[in-house]
Amino acid sequence: TVGKLTVITGPMYSGKTTELLNFAEIYEIGRKKTLIFKPAIDTRYSADDVVTHKFHKMPARVVKDTKELFEYYQTLKEKPDAVFIDEVHFFDAELAVIVKEIALDGVDVYCAGLDMSYLWEPFETTAKLMALADEVIKKKAVCEVCGEYKATLSYKLKSNGGVFDVGGKDKYIAVCKECYERYEKNG
Ligand code: ADP
Ligand code: MG
C-alpha cells in the first residue's frame, strides 16, 4: 500500500507542532515505529528535539536539508510506519518529491509547517506538499491584536531578516487578516 500524506499548516502558534506530536504519539502508543525530523535552522527551544510552544517535546533527527533527510531515511535497516517532519517551509521544494517517495514505500507521512510567510505569500514547499496531501489540516491561532480565534497570518514585528528568519514572540505574532491590514497601513 501507499502511505497517507497529511499536512498540518497555518500561522505561528496555531498548534501545528502540537498536532504533529499528537499524531506521532498515537503511532507510538500503537507500538508503531516513528521517525521525527526537523530542520537544523530551527533551534528556538532545542537543538535536537521537536518542541511546542507549551514545551511538549519529542526527540528528533536534525537534518540540514532535504538531501540529508532522504539519505538518512535510506540508511534505515527497518522501515518506519510513519515519518513526521516539522517546519517543512524551511526545506527546499525538493522535499515534496522525497515525501512522495517515502509514501510510495508504504510509510505514512505527516508534515507540519507555515503555509505563508509574514508577507502573506505562500511558502513553495508547503504549497507543493498541500497539493500532494491526502488530508490538509488548516489550523488557526488567536489574533494577538483583536483576541478573536481567527488568526491565519503571522505578522513580523521587526521587519528585517527576510522570510526565513527564525523567531518567537519577540519577532512574530499571529494575526487575523483585518488586523494584518490595519498594521500594514498604520504600522
Ligand atoms: P505552532 O507549531 O503552530 O507554532 P505549537 O503547537 O508549538 O504551535 O504551540 C501552540 C500553543 O501556543 C498553544 O497551545 C498555546 O498554548 C500557545 N499560543 C501562544 N500564542 C498563541 C496564539 N496567539 N493563539 C493560539 N495559541 C497560542
Ligand atoms: Mg511549530
Side-chain angles (χ1 to χ4, degrees), residues 11-18 51-54 141-142 144 169 174:
M12 287 186 71
Y13 312 105
S14 61
K16 302 180 300 297
T17 302
T18 301
V51 190
T52 72
H53 294 295
K54 280 171 105 173
V142 176
E144 287 171 57
K169 283 266 162 94

Side-chain angles (χ1 to χ4, degrees), residues 8-21 44-45 51-56 86-87 112-114 139-145 148-149 151 169 173-175:
I8 305 155
T9 192
M12 287 186 71
Y13 312 105
S14 61
K16 302 180 300 297
T17 302
T18 301
E19 183 117 13
L20 187 78
L21 296 187
R44 284 173 300 174
Y45 294 126
V51 190
T52 72
H53 294 295
K54 280 171 105 173
F55 305 108
H56 176 206
D86 201 11
E87 308 288 345
L114 296 170
K139 312 278 293 178
K140 56 193 173 132
V142 176
C143 174
E144 287 171 57
V145 180
E148 295 301 314
Y149 181 44
K169 283 266 162 94
I173 54 169
V175 293

Side-chain angles (χ1 to χ4, degrees), residues 95-169:
L95 186 69
V97 180
I98 269 25
V99 159
K100 189 176 159 192
E101 282 298 311
I102 296 174
L104 280 168
D105 242 4
V107 178
D108 291 334
V109 185
Y110 292 81
C111 294
L114 296 170
D115 46 0
M116 290 177 275
S117 74
Y118 75 94
L119 298 173
W120 198 334
E121 283 164 1
F123 274 118
E124 186 188 357
T125 304
T126 314
K128 286 191 169 168
L129 288 166
M130 287 168 76
L132 292 168
D134 296 290
E135 188 181 358
V136 176
I137 303 170
K138 269 245 192 186
K139 312 278 293 178
K140 56 193 173 132
V142 176
C143 174
E144 287 171 57
V145 180
C146 71
E148 295 301 314
Y149 181 44
K150 58 172 194 175
T152 53
L153 296 164
S154 311
Y155 186 82
K156 196 171 186 181
L157 298 166
K158 298 170 208 153
S159 243
N160 48 22
V163 294
F164 294 108
D165 189 16
V166 181
K169 283 266 162 94

